Amino acid sequence: MLNDILDNSHNYQPGLSIDCVIFGFHDNQLKVLLIKVNQNNKWSLPGGFIPINEDIDTAAVTVLNQRTGVEGVFLRQFGAFGNVKRNEHHFDKKVFKSLKIDPEKGKWLTQRFVTLGYYALVDFLKTIPNSGQYETAEWIDHKEVPELILDHKEILDKALDTLRTELNLMPVGYNLLPEKFTIPELQKLYETILDRKLDRRNFFRKITNIGILVKLDEKKNNVAHKAPYLYSFDKEKYDEVLKNGLNQGW
Amino acid sequence: MLNDILDNSHNYQPGLSIDCVIFGFHDNQLKVLLIKVNQNNKWSLPGGFIPINEDIDTAAVTVLNQRTGVEGVFLRQFGAFGNVKRNEHHFDKKVFKSLKIDPEKGKWLTQRFVTLGYYALVDFLKTIPNSGQYETAEWIDHKEVPELILDHKEILDKALDTLRTELNLMPVGYNLLPEKFTIPELQKLYETILDRKLDRRNFFRKITNIGILVKLDEKKNNVAHKAPYLYSFDKEKYDEVLKNGLNQGW
């Protein structure tokens, strides 16, 4: 695939790439979709290049879709990363040889790439990590992330920071939780993202005050004692708050 | 200056630029520093290109410094703008002729440019808008902004949105206010940014709770009746809150 791009590098925005931090929630873990190049066992964020005839946001949707098969999920640009030496020495003669890349064509890859970071919140159960011929895609707990190439750890950390900050600005949970969930499950999601315990009653009060939850006439099955009620999101109100922001602050 | 860049375009990151939204506060107005090209009376955000041997954040500092003479101020990247047609038709033969640009060299300018948006908060009184030979730099009330070139209005709006959001996440005021200020002056700054009135007592309670203000043993001069106390920022605590965020939310 890289060779295809290099054969047509004039069709891609020079020196600019996209990296996606794709979050999913499962087994009370906040997981990140990572890519391993089979040949060298190096881990990276899923990424791609930007066709010159595509908007940058569209190109990001394409990367996400190729890797996860999901569409229409929450995807947000959170930063550009462009230190001079960020991809210096990443491609050299040895790497070109091992990837069967013509070094002359490969030159395109050795310029400084500024990369645009996007983060996505996807439904873990609906996502099929798309491994390629030469690489493996895998969900990994964000606390167990292995060494990543280039500045990808910095990009991942910035995405996590942004997600934590945005918990104070917008609702989070749609896409990350199943359609029906209990308040303790929603609280667990918030606690996992924030990496700290929250007071049960405070959380209940704050989250219900936002007005995005619908209490269903059903209780959670398979719970021995005092089964908790199930809830779902009122998608219309959810989108409204997503657009206008949580009404906090000044 | 553009001709200098075109003579050495290989020294600049291709297809990537920087645009700065520079805010200052004066006369109870939130002002934006804009540039007018003398020849065609078109207004734009101050911007520039990125030398291939410079980090993107460093290039942004250079743009800001060239335009305002200020250093060490709050400068933050807030987004990348890269629609396919964003700078289509911006440069054509006619424009090249009027700017005395060799059309062959000028081609470099006609590729799609993705631009990185940075916003800055600067001290209005310490800032000397730097007009160039062919252009004028001017402070303009953000409510009176004239038509801007390309997608610069969208970039400005996004910067304003970001600034408003960040009022809920971090302290704002250092750089924008004089060293000594009254609480009503600080409140006016917040009201101007948010574009709405705030309750006086609520504001006082919230702003003093953050713990970044130092009450001085001085009162404001030239105020007839009940002169208000002057305050300054505790820079150490201010920077701490800037780093860790306002302790709100969950």
Side-chain angles (χ1 to χ4, degrees):
Chain A
M1 199 178 115
L2 201 48
N3 264 313
D4 290 348
I5 288 169
L6 293 175
D7 283 339
N8 300 286
S9 58
H10 56 282
N11 289 334
Y12 290 86
Q13 190 78 8
L16 199 64
S17 57
I18 280 177
D19 284 296
C20 285
V21 181
I22 304 171
F23 291 114
F25 187 65
H26 192 64
D27 277 348
N28 287 335
Q29 289 180 350
L30 183 69
K31 291 172 187 280
V32 188
L33 193 69
L34 295 176
I35 303 291
K36 189 175 67 177
V37 177
N38 298 337
Q39 197 164 27
N40 59 14
N41 277 328
K42 280 185 181 167
W43 291 89
S44 71
L45 296 170
F49 300 102
I50 303 166
I52 47 169
N53 60 357
E54 261 188 27
D55 295 348
I56 55 173
D57 290 350
T58 310
V61 171
T62 305
V63 170
L64 178 67
N65 185 251
Q66 277 169 351
R67 288 303 183 177
T68 63
V70 296
E71 281 183 67
V73 302
F74 184 91
L75 180 68
R76 186 174 291 202
Q77 190 198 103
F78 64 89
F81 301 80
N83 284 350
V84 169
K85 304 198 168 182
R86 66 176 295 277
N87 60 311
E88 202 185 36
H89 308 311
H90 186 58
F91 286 101
D92 56 20
K93 279 183 191 167
K94 211 174 124 197
V95 177
F96 285 144
K97 200 174 173 190
S98 74
L99 293 172
K100 294 182 181 117
I101 287 174
D102 170 6
E104 195 50 42
K105 280 185 191 165
K107 263 189 191 164
W108 190 77
L109 292 167
T110 63
Q111 63 186 307
R112 181 250 305 256
F113 271 80
V114 172
T115 198
L116 307 176
Y118 283 80
Y119 83 91
L121 306 177
V122 307
D123 186 337
F124 181 88
L125 294 174
K126 286 188 192 151
T127 304
I128 304 141
N130 193 358
S131 299
Q133 193 179 352
Y134 303 108
E135 48 194 29
T136 315
E138 210 173 292
W139 282 110
I140 293 182
D141 180 7
H142 81 286
K143 292 198 156 181
E144 309 282 335
V145 168
E147 198 186 326
L148 301 178
I149 62 164
L150 303 175
D151 52 2
H152 285 197
K153 182 63 167 53
E154 184 195 333
I155 298 173
L156 171 58
D157 286 345
K158 181 81 191 289
L160 259 173
D161 268 359
T162 307
L163 178 57
R164 282 178 186 139
T165 299
E166 300 207 328
L167 275 192
N168 294 321
L169 302 171
M170 64 178 200
V172 167
Y174 194 82
N175 287 329
L176 286 178
L177 288 175
E179 200 191 332
K180 299 172 183 181
F181 50 85
T182 66
I183 300 279
E185 284 166 349
L186 183 57
Q187 179 171 340
K188 190 69 203 172
L189 170 65
Y190 274 66
E191 289 179 339
T192 306
I193 294 173
L194 292 170
D195 199 21
R196 61 182 165 90
K197 288 273 170 207
L198 299 174
D199 178 72
R200 188 176 58 82
R201 271 184 287 187
N202 258 337
F203 181 79
F204 182 81
R205 182 177 51 79
K206 285 187 180 175
I207 201 82
T208 48
N209 273 350
I210 302 175
I212 52 173
L213 292 176
V214 182
K215 189 175 178 179
L216 304 176
D217 202 15
E218 286 175 66
K219 291 192 173 187
K220 177 118 175 143
N221 288 330
N222 310 323
V223 180
H225 181 61
K226 261 204 160 187
Y229 273 99
L230 285 167
Y231 287 75
S232 69
F233 287 115
D234 179 332
K235 190 64 192 349
E236 205 171 304
K237 287 197 183 144
Y238 190 99
D239 286 341
E240 201 182 298
V241 180
L242 206 55
K243 188 165 162 272
N244 300 324
L246 288 177
N247 220 343
Q248 297 192 124
W250 306 96
Chain B
M1 201 178 114
L2 202 47
N3 264 314
D4 291 347
I5 288 168
L6 291 175
D7 283 340
N8 300 286
S9 58
H10 57 281
N11 288 335
Y12 291 86
Q13 189 79 7
L16 199 64
S17 57
I18 280 175
D19 283 297
C20 286
V21 181
I22 304 171
F23 291 113
F25 187 65
H26 192 64
D27 276 348
N28 288 335
Q29 288 179 351
L30 184 69
K31 292 173 186 278
V32 188
L33 192 69
L34 295 176
I35 303 292
K36 191 176 65 175
V37 177
N38 297 338
Q39 196 164 28
N40 59 13
N41 277 328
K42 282 185 181 167
W43 291 89
S44 71
L45 295 170
F49 299 101
I50 303 166
I52 48 167
N53 61 356
E54 260 189 28
D55 295 347
I56 55 174
D57 291 350
T58 309
V61 170
T62 306
V63 170
L64 177 67
N65 184 251
Q66 277 169 351
R67 289 302 183 180
T68 63
V70 296
E71 279 183 69
V73 302
F74 183 89
L75 178 68
R76 187 175 291 201
Q77 188 198 106
F78 65 90
F81 300 81
N83 285 350
V84 170
K85 305 196 166 181
R86 64 175 297 275
N87 59 310
E88 202 185 37
H89 309 311
H90 186 59
F91 286 101
D92 57 19
K93 279 181 191 167
K94 210 175 126 195
V95 177
F96 285 145
K97 198 172 174 190
S98 75
L99 293 172
K100 292 180 183 123
I101 287 174
D102 170 5
E104 193 51 39
K105 279 185 191 166
K107 265 190 189 164
W108 190 78
L109 293 167
T110 64
Q111 62 186 311
R112 180 249 306 255
F113 271 81
V114 173
T115 198
L116 306 177
Y118 284 79
Y119 83 89
L121 306 177
V122 307
D123 186 338
F124 181 89
L125 293 174
K126 287 187 190 154
T127 305
I128 304 140
N130 192 358
S131 300
Q133 193 178 353
Y134 303 108
E135 48 196 26
T136 315
E138 210 173 292
W139 282 111
I140 294 183
D141 180 8
H142 81 288
K143 292 197 158 183
E144 308 282 336
V145 167
E147 199 186 327
L148 301 177
I149 61 162
L150 304 176
D151 52 2
H152 285 197
K153 183 63 166 54
E154 185 195 333
I155 298 173
L156 171 57
D157 287 344
K158 180 80 191 290
L160 259 173
D161 268 358
T162 307
L163 179 57
R164 281 176 187 143
T165 299
E166 300 208 327
L167 274 193
N168 294 320
L169 302 171
M170 63 178 202
V172 166
Y174 193 82
N175 285 329
L176 286 178
L177 289 175
E179 200 190 334
K180 298 172 184 183
F181 50 87
T182 67
I183 300 279
E185 283 166 350
L186 183 57
Q187 179 170 343
K188 191 69 203 171
L189 170 65
Y190 274 66
E191 289 179 338
T192 306
I193 294 175
L194 292 170
D195 199 21
R196 61 184 164 88
K197 288 273 171 208
L198 298 174
D199 178 72
R200 188 176 58 83
R201 270 184 288 186
N202 258 339
F203 181 80
F204 182 80
R205 183 177 50 80
K206 286 185 181 176
I207 202 79
T208 48
N209 273 349
I210 302 175
I212 52 173
L213 293 176
V214 182
K215 190 175 178 177
L216 304 175
D217 203 17
E218 288 175 64
K219 292 193 175 188
K220 178 117 177 143
N221 288 330
N222 311 323
V223 180
H225 182 59
K226 258 204 160 188
Y229 273 98
L230 285 167
Y231 288 76
S232 69
F233 288 115
D234 179 331
K235 190 63 190 351
E236 205 171 306
K237 286 195 184 149
Y238 189 99
D239 286 342
E240 202 181 297
V241 180
L242 207 55
K243 189 165 160 271
N244 300 323
L246 288 177
N247 221 343
Q248 295 192 123
W250 305 97

